[in-house]
Amino acid sequence: MKRMIGIIGGSGLYDIAGLEDARWQHLDTPWGKPSDALFTGTLGGVPLAFLPRHGRGHVHTPSTVPYRANIAALKMLGVTDVVSISACGSFREEMAPGDFVLVDQFIDRTFAREKSFFSSGCVAHVSMAHPTCAHLGADLAEAARSAGAKVHPRGNYLAMEGPQFSSVAESKMYRGWGCDVIGMTNMPEAKLAREAELCYASLAMITDYDSWHEGHGTVDITEIIATLHGNSARAKDTIAALPARLGPEHTPCPHGCDTALEHAIMTAPEARDPALVEKLKTIAARVL
């Protein structure tokens, strides 16, 4: 199976040197329009699609990002591997602003978002015990290291609703829960990628210490933006290094990401809602 890499990240990351046949593609999905057009091309002989998560100009809040449409659009294009690049705050002294974290676990505290493609009329339950693809993540971490980033090999990500930042009490509570970083966008993105049978890996770029750290004060958006700008070159170099590490062929995922729906659909075929099934064929045609 031919590989296609999908990148979901900040608007400035799509300016990647060496991307050939680059163009913007407008897509519509059964779940509406994605955050923006997708910037597609070929990098190192591997097809690649970039999707600005918040839209160019940052027009979507974390709660209004059309997560289902974003993942569906990537699946429709033929993406096999999804790489999430996002900003986060840190709950750990050793995970400092400017560092990258390869996220491997989530605590989902979001509440105002549609979190599944499935619904009444076609019910499915996928496993989220291991919500990211360790196989893809290992290559992503090495690509980031080759770009000069300090990468922490694992991290528990607290997904908050936002758009406000945490109170001091909340920040200390999440830290006490064993969370390592906090962000607003990786959920339900990771859940939907699993339902779409896509390998998904998350690279979080630390911009601040949230609000728990007495020596650093509260979150300052100007400092966040300055740190993000500092990280953007390493993020672009990380993306540029991925095709060579991953290669042009997508072999069966050893962790089962590409067969996540194998036994997940619970609704009997004769009881399924035909209209919903038709929509679901966009992301689940293999099992429908």
Side-chain angles (χ1 to χ4, degrees), residues 27-31 69-79 282-283:
L27 288 179
D28 203 353
T29 81
W31 288 272
N70 286 353
I71 295 298
L74 292 174
K75 182 80 173 185
M76 290 166 64
L77 270 181
V79 165
T282 304
I283 59 100

Side-chain angles (χ1 to χ4, degrees), residues 152 171 181 257:
H152 299 272
S171 188
V181 295
C257 297

Side-chain angles (χ1 to χ4, degrees), residues 149-200:
K150 179 179 179 180
V151 182
H152 299 272
R154 60 159 305 280
N156 298 331
Y157 179 116
L158 187 289
M160 66 182 296
E161 188 64 50
Q164 302 85 0
F165 295 115
S166 306
S167 69
V168 172
E170 289 169 330
S171 188
K172 290 181 177 179
M173 178 178 70
Y174 300 147
R175 177 170 152 82
W177 284 359
C179 299
D180 299 305
V181 295
I182 184 169
M184 301 180 187
T185 58
N186 276 199
M187 282 291 171
E189 198 172 82
K191 291 178 176 178
L192 295 166
R194 180 59 51 83
E195 288 188 345
E197 297 190 323
L198 297 171
C199 292
Y200 177 91

Side-chain angles (χ1 to χ4, degrees), residues 31 117-123 272-281 288:
W31 288 272
F117 291 109
F118 295 89
S119 185
S120 299
C122 194
V123 177
R272 295 172 187 171
D273 176 1
L276 177 56
V277 168
E278 196 59 35
K279 290 176 66 175
L280 287 169
K281 286 180 181 178
L288 292 171

Side-chain angles (χ1 to χ4, degrees), residues 39 63 114 141 173 184 258:
F39 193 62
S63 298
E114 294 289 348
M173 178 178 70
M184 301 180 187
D258 47 11

